[in-house]
């Protein structure tokens, strides 16, 4: 079997491979980029340009500060003024509510778990002054130990406490007087969360000729940490002890860092002074690069944590945690143009011109004099230059001011030209800042002013779109991905004035997110007014009534509130599905009750009448039946009587016949008694 041409990387070679990548990366203190950033910071703080002579005016035009601060103000007002500008697009009809919930959750992570406003402010300022603003998004595993005391627990309660998964080191004692258990415990509280950190420009390293973060062969974050910090973060203590104690203070001596702290005098302090060995600062590199560790010929993305010549950690990862903002991008290059550096020539020229005006004014108000020899009796009187003071002269023409050339009239025109040039270079116009009194006047209508402002902000809108597409969209998608991957417990957050429960780990993957961007003079208010007008139009059109139901009305009004900057919409509007059935008016209830009583009375009367008719019918039927039965009984009685009479007649005839026969027999035997036997009725 042929031996593979690719060789695996050993642990000893790994540190050397990472070192080569670091040396080739941009970001060291002696690089051209750091020098440029140092100059920008000096111009931003008004340190440069310095006066040519000690006696000249010290005035410095703050054009760099004005341009950067104005652009940052516009972007922050657009993206961090409290309106929800990032929303996830629903993947289907059944995903609308979940898309809204996940958007609110990501807002919660960015602005409440992290300081979203400060993050955006720092990233925007770094981007405007250092070509690129960088944020690091990652999941931070963090646990805190909390000590608690408990008293008066039963045996069952103590057993339940001991069985709790977050409880450690429980000390339990039986209180013999009370018969209950007392003690102490140590609880491990999970404080893990999604973290968003802004990376200072000098701490971010990338391969010089990279196009973007995804395609860069090497990306790293270097930062200062102490030995104690490394041990606290969980790195092997034996590896930490191998780190050399050589000077690792290049970050503290970086020109950009020195310029940043120059205003407070911290640049002259020893910021790396340690009290103990474990408090000494060292430079830790968190590197992301593609490596073929096993020699298979296939590279994979690895996260290598290195300090000195020691590799503290090695882990295979699926992506790089950095999100960047490049305000003025350059095609096929990671680093774009420096927004603030474009204004440096204007600040230099404007400062020189204004200093010339000020120096000319000072010279004109306090001119130098030429004095004829011997014309002054006391030269000190002229030198003091006291207001209202006397100068004794021996001849009237003995003192005269030196000729002073008049101020060049083109100076003010040049300053105006520089203002126009600054607006063209930065895209930040005085009109958009409300500083143009000629445009904002009573003669111009509000609509005209709005149109002028909108036209003057085209460059600002382009930079804002760069911020939205380069930074915000990837940031929110990464926050969502980290939440799905790591948030295992149920979260309860307040959305629109109501608390909602959610389980991020059960959400589906997303790749589609939109950023709403309204930039300009009152555009947010115009958007809110637009939705209110839509609501009025649809409410007045009767033909649209069936299509414009309560849910549609709620969505339109909620959108109008959100556009107006009102986040707690639920404090003012209640979703239709949460509204209880409408309660009738008490007077109407009383009227209905009276009507019901009247109807009940009429029904009862009708029922009584019907019952009475029925009873009468039944009585009449019973009467007729009784008559029929009486007739039948009478007929039966007559039949019985006739039968009785017939029976009596028959019986008497039989008796008479019997007696006659007996009498005949007696007459034959005893005629005297025969007459006695025969009854008189026979």
């Amino acid at each position: 079997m042929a031996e593979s041409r690719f060789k695996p990387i050993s642990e000893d070679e790994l540190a050397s491979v990472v070192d080569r990548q670091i040396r080739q990366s941009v970001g060291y203190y002696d690089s051209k980029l750091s020098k440029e950033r140092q100059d920008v910071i000096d111009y931003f703080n008004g340190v440069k340009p310095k006066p040519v002579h000690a006696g000249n005016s010290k005035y410095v035009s703050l054009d760099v500060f004005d341009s950067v601060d104005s652009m940052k103000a516009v972007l922050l007002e657009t993206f961090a003024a409290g309106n929800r500008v990032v929303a996830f697009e629903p993947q289907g009809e059944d995903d609308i509510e979940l898309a809204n919930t996940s958007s609110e959750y990501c807002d919660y992570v960015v602005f409440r778990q992290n300081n979203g406003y400060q993050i955006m402010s720092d990233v925007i300022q770094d981007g405007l002054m250092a070509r690129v603003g960088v944020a690091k998004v990652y999941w931070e595993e963090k646990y805190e130990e909390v000590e608690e005391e408990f008293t008066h627990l039963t045996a069952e309660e103590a057993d339940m406490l001991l069985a709790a998964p977050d409880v450690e080191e429980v000390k339990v004692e039986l209180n013999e007087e009370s018969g209950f258990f007392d003690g102490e415990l140590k609880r491990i509280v999970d404080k893990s969360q999604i973290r968003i950190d802004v990376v200072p420009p000098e701490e971010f390293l990338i391969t010089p000729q990279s196009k973007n973060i995804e395609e860069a062969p090497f990306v790293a974050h270097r930062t200062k940490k102490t030995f104690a910090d490394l041990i606290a973060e969980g790195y092997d203590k034996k590896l930490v002890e191998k780190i050399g104690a050589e000077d690792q203070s290049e970050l503290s001596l970086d020109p950009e860092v020195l310029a940043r702290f120059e205003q407070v005098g911290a640049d002259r302090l020893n910021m790396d002074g340690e009290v103990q060995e474990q408090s000494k600062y060292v430079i830790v590199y968190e590197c992301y690069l593609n490596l073929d560790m096993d020699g298979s010929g296939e590279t994979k993305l690895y996260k290598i944590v290195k300090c000195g010549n020691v590799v503290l950690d090695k882990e295979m990862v699926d992506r790089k945690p950095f999100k960047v903002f490049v305000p003025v991008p350059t095609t096929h290059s990671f680093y774009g143009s420096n927004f603030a550096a474009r204004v440096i020539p204007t600040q230099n020229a404007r400062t020189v011109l204004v200093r010339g005006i000020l120096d000319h004014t000072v010279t004109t108000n306090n001119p130098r004099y030429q004095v004829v020899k011997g014309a002054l009796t006391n030269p000190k009187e002229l030198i003091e230059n006291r207001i209202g003071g006397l100068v004794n002269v021996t001849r009237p023409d003995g003192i005269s001011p030196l000729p002073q050339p008049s101020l060049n009239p083109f100076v003010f025109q040049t300053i105006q030209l520089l203002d126009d040039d600054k607006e063209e270079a930065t895209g930040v116009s005085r009109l958009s800042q409300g500083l143009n009194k000629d445009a904002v006047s009573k003669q111009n209508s509000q609509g005209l002013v709005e149109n002028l402002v909108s036209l003057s902000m085209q460059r600002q809108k382009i930079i804002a779109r760069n911020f939205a597409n380069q930074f915000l969209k990837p940031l929110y998608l990464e926050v969502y991905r980290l939440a799905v991957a790591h948030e295992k417990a149920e979260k309860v957050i307040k959305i629109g004035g109501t608390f909602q429960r959610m389980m991020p780990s059960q959400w589906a993957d997303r790749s589609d997110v939109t950023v709403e961007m309204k930039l300009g003079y009152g555009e947010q208010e115009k958007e809110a007014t637009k939705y209110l007008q839509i609501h009025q139009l649809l409410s007045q059109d009767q033909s649209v009534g069936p299509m414009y139901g309560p849910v549609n009305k709620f969505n339109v009004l909620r959108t109008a509130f959100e556009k107006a900057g009102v986040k707690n919409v639920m404090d003012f509007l209640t979703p239709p599905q949460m509204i209880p059935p409408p309660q009738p008016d008490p007077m109407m209830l009383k009227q209905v009750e009276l009507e019901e009583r009247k109807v009940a009375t009429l029904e009862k009367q009708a029922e009584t009448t019907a019952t009475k008719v029925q009873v009468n019918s039944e009585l009449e039927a019973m009467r007729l039946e009784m008559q029929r039965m009486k007739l039948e009984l009478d007929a039966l009685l007559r039949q019985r009587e006739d039968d009785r009479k017939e029976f009596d007649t028959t019986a008497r005839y039989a008796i008479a016949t019997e007696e006659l026969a007996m009498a005949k027999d007696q007459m034959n035997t005893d005629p005297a008694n025969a007459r006695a036997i025969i009854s008189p009725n026979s």
Side-chain angles (χ1 to χ4, degrees), residues 304-469:
I304 309 295
V305 180
K306 173 184 172 296
C307 183
N309 293 321
V310 179
V311 176
L312 297 175
D313 187 29
K314 177 184 64 176
E315 177 187 2
M316 186 185 301
V317 294
D318 57 352
R319 66 189 64 204
K320 302 160 188 172
F322 303 104
K323 307 301 172 186
V324 300
F325 165 51
V326 182
V328 189
T330 300
T331 308
H332 310 302
S333 175
F334 174 76
Y335 286 104
S337 299
N338 195 312
F339 175 88
R342 294 183 173 192
V343 196
I344 289 178
T346 302
Q347 181 163 325
N348 284 331
R350 187 183 178 91
T351 300
V352 170
L353 292 176
V354 176
R355 283 176 180 173
I357 295 173
L358 296 176
D359 290 342
H360 184 273
T361 302
V362 172
T363 305
T364 303
N365 293 335
N366 299 278
R368 299 181 65 187
Y369 291 91
Q370 60 182 2
V371 182
V372 178
K373 185 177 181 180
L376 293 176
T377 59
N378 185 3
K380 187 177 180 181
E381 294 174 346
L382 182 62
I383 295 174
E384 288 180 352
N385 197 21
R386 179 165 53 88
I387 297 177
L390 298 177
V391 179
N392 296 298
V393 296
T394 58
R395 46 189 294 183
D397 59 344
I399 303 175
S400 61
L402 286 173
Q404 178 70 24
S406 60
L407 187 64
N408 191 330
F410 295 104
V411 169
F412 297 99
Q413 296 181 16
T414 306
I415 292 177
Q416 180 63 41
L417 180 64
L418 291 174
D419 290 339
D420 296 339
D421 183 67
K422 181 175 71 172
E423 292 181 7
E424 293 177 359
T426 62
V428 180
S429 69
R430 290 174 295 168
L431 183 62
S432 64
Q433 296 173 290
L435 302 179
N436 193 326
K437 61 181 179 60
D438 296 326
V440 185
S441 63
K442 295 181 179 179
Q443 286 77 19
N444 293 334
S445 65
Q446 180 180 353
L448 177 60
V449 173
E450 292 177 5
N451 291 334
L452 291 173
V453 171
S454 181
L455 290 172
S456 69
M457 300 181 73
Q458 295 302 319
R459 294 279 295 280
Q460 295 179 3
K461 290 183 178 180
I462 295 299
I463 294 179
R465 294 188 191 282
N466 290 338
F467 182 75
N469 290 286

Side-chain angles (χ1 to χ4, degrees), residues 3 6 16 26 80 87 96 110 113 196 225 235 299 338 466 482:
E3 184 179 357
F6 302 110
S16 300
V26 177
I96 296 177
V110 173
Q113 282 192 342
I196 306 174
K225 292 183 180 180
Y235 294 111
T299 61
N338 195 312
N466 290 338
L482 290 173

Side-chain angles (χ1 to χ4, degrees), residues 63-104:
D63 296 271
V64 172
F65 172 83
D66 290 339
S67 300
V68 171
D69 201 57
S70 298
M71 181 62 75
K72 183 175 78 169
V74 171
L75 298 181
L76 284 178
E77 179 65 22
T78 302
F79 297 107
N83 300 327
R84 195 180 77 182
V85 295
V86 179
F88 290 100
E89 286 293 328
Q91 307 294 329
E93 293 183 359
D94 56 345
D95 189 44
I96 296 177
E97 187 62 31
L98 182 57
N100 182 65
T101 301
S102 56
S103 301
E104 294 283 358

